[in-house]
Amino acid sequence: MTLKVYLSGEIHTDWREQIIDGAEGLDVSFSSPNTDHDSSDDCGVAILGAEPNKFWHDHKGAKLNAVRTRTLIGEADVVVVRFGEKYKQWNAAFDAGYAAALGKSLIVLHPAEHQHALKEVDAAALAVAEEPSQVVEMLRYVLTGALPK
């Protein structure tokens, strides 16, 4: 069984690569939003045409990115949502809520200092981790039943 895992959230660190590298050898396929900030912001106008007003520029991009996000979350078996330390990831909270509403297995990943701020998001998750390596061990356990050594 190939486990489909969607990696959502913070884009400024290498947490996705840590999980993907750590899961090498497991039957997992990964997907994610577009993590290139500029092309994510500009995808709507690049495809549908320029907008002189920044609101409509962002609106086009957000809607096009939503097509990608909704599709990939819908196809996922597990959704991992990372809340980073530096920026507020409002879209990550939205993705976590969307995954929970769809009944997806949700894993939330964030530093301990965000526990209070994310208590409602954490309550919707099946697991809450502080480190990408913990997510890898969760995936290993789900697929093989093996515990860390």
Side-chain angles (χ1 to χ4, degrees):
M1 160 183 112
T2 299
L3 194 65
K4 295 179 184 177
V5 178
Y6 184 77
L7 302 173
S8 174
E10 186 262 322
I11 64 169
H12 301 283
T13 64
D14 69 346
W15 70 273
R16 283 182 181 83
E17 291 77 15
Q18 291 178 48
I19 292 172
I20 292 167
D21 292 347
E24 188 174 339
L26 295 177
D27 194 5
V28 181
S29 68
F30 292 99
S31 61
S32 70
N34 179 356
T35 59
D36 178 76
H37 201 157
D38 291 336
S39 67
S40 175
D41 284 351
D42 296 339
C43 65
V45 295
I47 296 168
L48 300 170
E51 288 291 342
N53 182 303
K54 183 66 171 149
F55 174 86
W56 294 112
H57 176 113
D58 288 347
H59 191 74
K60 281 183 175 180
K63 287 189 168 233
L64 188 52
N65 283 317
V67 172
R68 178 185 175 94
T69 300
R70 289 180 187 182
T71 300
L72 294 174
I73 289 175
E75 293 174 352
D77 301 307
V78 176
V79 176
V80 178
V81 181
R82 162 80 174 161
F83 293 89
E85 298 177 25
K86 188 171 182 183
Y87 300 99
K88 306 248 188 293
Q89 289 91 39
W90 308 116
N91 58 325
F94 188 86
D95 289 356
Y98 185 68
L102 291 177
K104 299 295 176 173
S105 294
L106 176 62
I107 298 171
V108 176
L109 175 61
H110 62 74
E113 60 266 20
H114 292 341
Q115 287 174 355
H116 180 73
L118 292 170
K119 63 186 176 297
E120 288 82 8
V121 175
D122 289 353
L126 295 179
V128 179
E130 292 181 13
E131 299 295 334
S133 60
Q134 293 173 313
V135 174
V136 172
E137 292 305 326
M138 289 180 206
L139 297 176
R140 186 178 323 286
Y141 177 77
V142 167
L143 284 167
T144 70
L147 294 175
K149 294 184 184 258

